[in-house]
Amino acid sequence: NAGVTQTPKFQVLKTGQSMTLQCAQDMNHEYMSWYRQDPGMGLRLIHYSVGAGITDQGEVPNGYNVSRSTTEDFPLRLLSAAPSQTSVYFCASSYSGKETQYFGPGTRLLVL
Amino acid sequence: EDQVTQSPEALRLQEGESSSLNCSYTVSGLRGLFWYRQDPGKGPEFLFTLYSAGEEKEKERLKATLTKKESFLHITAPKPEDSATYLCAVQGARSYNTDKLIFGTGTRLQVFP
């Protein structure tokens, strides 16, 4: 099992550009989520999904969109990048969100 | 509001010098407390889940304990490869419907030979 994979590892964007961060898992997990990690702050939940076709907002959803068309994939879209979205983004998954969540390696995003 | 505070922010240990990391939490109805290890440039790696006060779990040189207000991660005779940031997270009744984890800011541990 590859576990949770994320691409790209690193990305530089200009303000206003859009992009999609990819996340995939091969553990047949129903629950998937996106967190961002900023210096001096704990990881914060952006969006989550309890299964294919079902998504909902987390703590800091503004500026981000998600969709879940398959169990395996949970992409995160930045609609119009802003410098405040410079961060490290982690995708996580679990059988149900109430069990241990396993994290991917992260995507480091810099918005200029 | 659910909250997690970890201390110290940073800890430097000599190889073999045992110590403890603290995770204090305020949560309405604890459902689970999670410890993760994070190496630089990597994602959090799961270590332990604790569900109720009095519970303890061990893995190699690490032992996690839980009370009603805090959790400790005890590191016995650490080695340089134990150097990492250790993250604590809780899931409470208020966040149970979103399955959100509330994270602390972590303790950065450095172990010197």
Side-chain angles (χ1 to χ4, degrees):
Chain A
N1 283 353
V4 180
T5 58
Q6 293 184 238
T7 56
K9 290 185 179 180
F10 180 71
Q11 184 72 46
V12 180
L13 290 179
K14 294 181 180 179
T15 297
Q17 286 184 318
S18 63
M19 79 161 293
T20 299
L21 282 63
Q22 301 292 344
C23 173
Q25 52 88 14
D26 62 358
M27 298 175 282
N28 203 31
H29 285 171
E30 290 295 326
Y31 181 87
M32 296 184 75
S33 58
W34 279 100
Y35 287 83
R36 61 177 288 173
Q37 186 175 38
D38 301 293
M41 304 185 74
L43 283 86
R44 292 178 293 166
L45 181 66
I46 304 172
H47 284 286
Y48 67 98
S49 168
V50 298
I54 306 169
T55 65
D56 209 341
Q57 297 181 351
E59 183 183 357
V60 287
N62 292 342
Y64 307 96
N65 270 3
V66 292
S67 60
R68 183 97 179 268
S69 57
T70 67
T71 300
E72 294 79 19
D73 300 297
F74 190 42
L76 178 71
R77 297 183 187 84
L78 279 70
L79 308 174
S80 177
S84 60
Q85 294 179 304
T86 293
S87 187
V88 183
Y89 292 86
F90 291 101
C91 179
S93 74
S94 66
Y95 284 110
S96 77
K98 296 166 179 49
E99 299 175 9
T100 300
Q101 297 184 32
Y102 296 91
F103 285 79
T107 293
R108 189 173 300 270
L109 177 66
L110 175 62
V111 182
L112 302 175
Chain B
E1 182 180 341
D2 297 346
Q3 195 169 352
V4 174
T5 302
Q6 291 188 247
S7 61
E9 288 187 15
L11 182 62
R12 293 163 56 99
L13 298 175
Q14 200 75 31
E15 183 173 4
E17 179 186 1
S18 300
S19 188
S20 297
L21 282 55
N22 177 262
C23 172
S24 297
Y25 62 90
T26 303
V27 66
S28 176
L30 180 71
R31 294 289 186 261
L33 185 141
F34 304 83
W35 281 99
Y36 289 86
R37 169 191 170 127
Q38 187 175 25
D39 293 299
K42 301 285 182 65
E45 175 188 344
F46 170 72
L47 293 173
F48 303 110
T49 306
L50 302 168
Y51 292 104
S52 57
E55 191 174 358
E56 300 182 352
K57 290 202 176 162
E58 286 188 70
K59 180 181 179 181
E60 296 179 356
R61 295 177 293 282
L62 300 177
K63 179 179 177 180
T65 62
L66 180 65
T67 72
K68 289 186 178 180
K69 294 184 178 180
E70 57 192 349
S71 176
F72 291 95
L73 185 65
H74 306 279
I75 303 178
T76 302
K79 297 182 177 181
E81 53 261 43
D82 294 322
S83 297
T85 296
Y86 291 85
L87 302 174
C88 173
V90 298
Q91 192 173 67
R94 256 196 294 260
S95 60
Y96 207 52
N97 59 338
T98 65
D99 302 319
K100 180 173 76 171
L101 294 176
I102 309 295
F103 278 88
T105 54
T107 292
R108 187 173 69 255
L109 174 66
Q110 291 179 295
V111 182
F112 294 91

